[in-house]
């Protein structure tokens, strides 16, 4: 079975991640779930169900040096929803969190990565956002933003139920099926 790491930041669509995990598993993926620290706090009541669904610990922190890894290596990584903060940290190489550290290293290991930002229109007007998208795309990350991906809402008008999770999973399938 092919291993998919699903990494989520703290944006409202994260509350639907159990359904996403199950959908990915229905597509044949062995799913490992990683969360930013804030996303882990938001999902604290769901963590037992998420661990049961994946059969593995949900990770939000680095392991101790020398400890064995509890996950198999990733064949592909999906980073969604990826917030303004996490996206910019990743593009800048600021690896202070487990999720950002793994995806930053994933670029260097040539692990296929799909990312779908979730940021409102005010955040995306910040000049660093566009630079970060460009940096990640130049590094080979398949960033689903704009037409055919996530399209930002005005501040305060989010529609987490409309987050295009299926597009993200389709992109993961496509990236892996087109890999050499």
């Amino acid at each position: 079975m092919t291993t998919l790491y699903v990494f989520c930041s703290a944006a409202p669509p994260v509350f639907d991640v159990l359904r996403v995990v199950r959908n990915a598993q229905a597509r044949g993926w062995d799913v490992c779930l990683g969360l930013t620290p804030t996303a882990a706090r938001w999902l604290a009541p769901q963590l037992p169900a998420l661990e049961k669904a994946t059969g593995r610990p949900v990770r939000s922190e680095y392991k101790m040096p020398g400890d064995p890894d509890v996950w198999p290596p990733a064949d592909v990584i999906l980073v969604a929803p990826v917030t303004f903060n996490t996206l910019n940290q990743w593009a800048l190489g600021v690896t202070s969190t487990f999720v950002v550290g793994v995806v930053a290293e994933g670029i260097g290991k040539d692990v296929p990565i799909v990312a779908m930002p979730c940021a409102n229109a005010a955040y995306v007007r910040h000049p660093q956002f566009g630079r970060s998208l460009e940096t990640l795309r130049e590094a080979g990350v398949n960033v689903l933003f704009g037409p055919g991906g996530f399209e930002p809402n005005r501040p305060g008008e989010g529609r987490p139920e409309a987050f295009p999770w299926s597009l993200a999973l389709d992109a993961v399938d496509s990236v892996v099926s087109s890999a050499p």
Side-chain angles (χ1 to χ4, degrees):
M1 189 175 287
T2 309
T3 301
L4 167 65
Y5 287 6
V6 175
F7 286 152
C8 303
S9 301
V14 76
F15 289 108
D16 203 22
V17 74
L18 180 58
R19 183 182 61 81
V20 174
V21 165
R22 289 182 175 142
N23 287 345
Q25 290 169 329
R27 292 174 181 230
W29 295 101
D30 178 21
V31 179
C32 298
L33 179 63
L35 304 170
T36 63
T38 303
R41 191 174 75 244
W42 286 12
L43 293 178
Q46 293 182 38
L47 291 179
L50 290 164
E51 290 183 349
K52 183 177 180 186
T54 62
R56 294 194 175 79
V58 173
R59 294 188 56 194
S60 61
E61 296 181 13
Y62 286 108
K63 67 180 183 67
M64 292 297 294
D67 284 354
D69 202 335
V70 295
W71 290 358
D75 294 299
V76 63
I77 301 172
L78 171 62
V79 190
V82 59
T83 60
F84 175 81
N85 184 49
T86 299
L87 182 94
N88 289 325
Q89 287 179 347
W90 179 15
L92 293 169
V94 179
T95 61
S96 58
T97 66
F98 167 72
V99 164
V100 176
V102 173
V103 294
E105 189 175 40
I107 290 171
K109 290 181 171 181
D110 294 320
V111 176
I113 303 172
V114 174
M116 185 176 291
C118 184
N120 69 42
Y123 279 124
V124 304
R125 290 188 61 208
H126 189 284
Q128 185 57 49
F129 186 79
R131 288 192 289 268
S132 293
L133 292 178
E134 183 178 332
T135 296
L136 293 173
R137 285 177 172 144
E138 286 175 359
V141 176
N142 182 4
V143 181
L144 304 173
F145 183 78
F150 178 79
E151 297 194 42
N153 307 306
R154 292 189 352 212
E157 293 183 0
R159 297 180 316 276
E161 72 286 348
F163 189 74
W165 283 109
S166 62
L167 290 176
L169 291 174
D170 290 347
V172 166
D173 288 338
S174 178
V175 164
V176 171
S177 68
S178 66

